[in-house]
Amino acid sequence: MTDRNGPISRLPEHLLVEIFIRLPICEWVQISCVNKHWANIFQGECMWQTAIARNWPSAGFRKRWPGPIPRGSARRRFQALYVSEKLVLSGGDIDELVGHTYLYLKEQLERPTIPPSSILHGTIIDQFIACGRTGEKAHELASKIWIAVIDNLEENQQTFLLLKHLAQEGEFFLPFPYSRSYKVLWRVFDKLFTDFRDCFNRMDYHDALAGAKSRFQPVPSTWLGH
């Protein structure tokens, strides 16, 4: 696949697309760097539309939805469908909207200035309700997406600061389903005290632990000790 002048490189574009979509997704970035023509294929809509049709045949027939989170390009749709299938536990169902919501939340949390979590959570709830989900189902899906995003953040200083920020946010007394999820806040503290314990100085650790104890009783023994 890396021979720039070989017979594969001279194939028509539609045949190259059919070959590419049958290769492991983990190799696509490397393949797109072989030459400018192949890079253009991966930047175009045809490649991603074909990949969607192959992997999720029914996705192309789904209607667009209302709400603040758009569907986007074919490449964006492929990413959303892949996320829904691989990263967000949804009872075996592949829900494109769940994937788009995951991508939206992840991008918002990676911004230099993070919007309040209550705003992000409310946007997600509004999106699901606009698409016909009940308040209870919207809250359940939003919680799963928050946890999936938190679990898939890189373990670095930026993630530590993000989790610490989420843990320190004040309580927002909002009606259900806009209230913050107990499960999500638990996961934030659990990640801080297990995966990022060495990032704390002593004072910050005790402040974070006091915040955890004010919300959860009893706290797990794995959270204790610095």
Side-chain angles (χ1 to χ4, degrees):
M1 295 299 294
T2 58
D3 185 356
R4 296 168 185 258
N5 300 310
I8 293 179
S9 296
R10 294 193 291 271
L11 289 174
E13 183 171 312
H14 71 279
L15 291 181
L16 287 174
V17 167
E18 291 295 334
I19 293 172
F20 293 160
I21 64 174
R22 287 165 171 79
L23 297 173
I25 294 173
C26 61
E27 297 180 7
W28 287 7
V29 172
Q30 182 180 354
I31 294 167
S32 69
C33 296
V34 169
N35 57 48
K36 186 175 181 181
H37 176 50
W38 290 14
N40 288 337
I41 291 175
F42 278 88
Q43 291 170 4
E45 289 284 287
C46 179
M47 163 77 187
W48 300 101
Q49 290 170 349
T50 306
I52 289 172
R54 174 177 170 79
N55 290 279
W56 305 284
S58 62
F61 300 103
R62 293 172 185 170
K63 297 178 180 179
R64 296 182 180 276
W65 49 71
I69 300 175
R71 200 177 193 188
S73 65
R75 180 171 185 164
R76 180 77 168 189
R77 292 190 62 212
F78 181 93
Q79 293 171 332
L81 287 160
Y82 182 86
V83 163
S84 177
E85 182 178 31
K86 303 294 185 181
L87 300 183
V88 183
L89 299 176
S90 54
D93 296 328
I94 298 174
D95 187 335
E96 184 178 344
L97 179 56
V98 168
H100 281 287
T101 307
Y102 175 100
L103 296 174
Y104 162 80
L105 178 59
K106 187 174 186 294
E107 289 167 354
Q108 293 298 310
L109 294 179
E110 290 174 344
R111 291 174 57 183
T113 303
I114 305 167
S117 64
S118 59
I119 300 294
L120 298 177
H121 185 65
T123 300
I124 293 171
I125 295 295
D126 285 342
Q127 179 65 67
F128 282 121
I129 291 177
C131 291
R133 308 306 201 276
T134 64
E136 183 175 353
K137 186 63 176 179
H139 192 269
E140 175 190 342
L141 289 170
S143 298
K144 287 181 177 181
I145 291 166
W146 270 97
I147 290 171
V149 170
I150 290 169
D151 284 347
N152 286 283
L153 293 171
E154 294 184 19
E155 292 190 14
N156 54 31
Q157 183 69 12
Q158 181 180 350
T159 298
F160 168 67
L161 294 175
L162 167 63
L163 294 174
K164 193 166 73 165
H165 169 78
L166 293 174
Q168 291 173 342
E169 276 190 322
E171 290 294 334
F172 301 98
F173 296 100
L174 299 172
F176 185 84
Y178 295 95
S179 53
R180 288 209 294 180
S181 167
Y182 175 94
K183 292 180 181 180
V184 172
L185 195 55
W186 176 279
R187 187 61 61 89
V188 168
F189 279 106
D190 191 53
K191 292 279 286 184
L192 278 172
F193 293 130
T194 55
D195 296 347
F196 294 94
R197 181 177 302 190
D198 293 340
C199 297
F200 281 108
N201 61 44
R202 185 170 294 275
M203 181 176 295
D204 283 348
Y205 167 77
H206 286 292
D207 287 345
L209 185 60
K213 288 180 176 179
S214 70
R215 294 173 171 88
F216 309 109
Q217 284 294 339
V219 298
S221 59
T222 53
W223 294 6
L224 304 175
H226 182 265

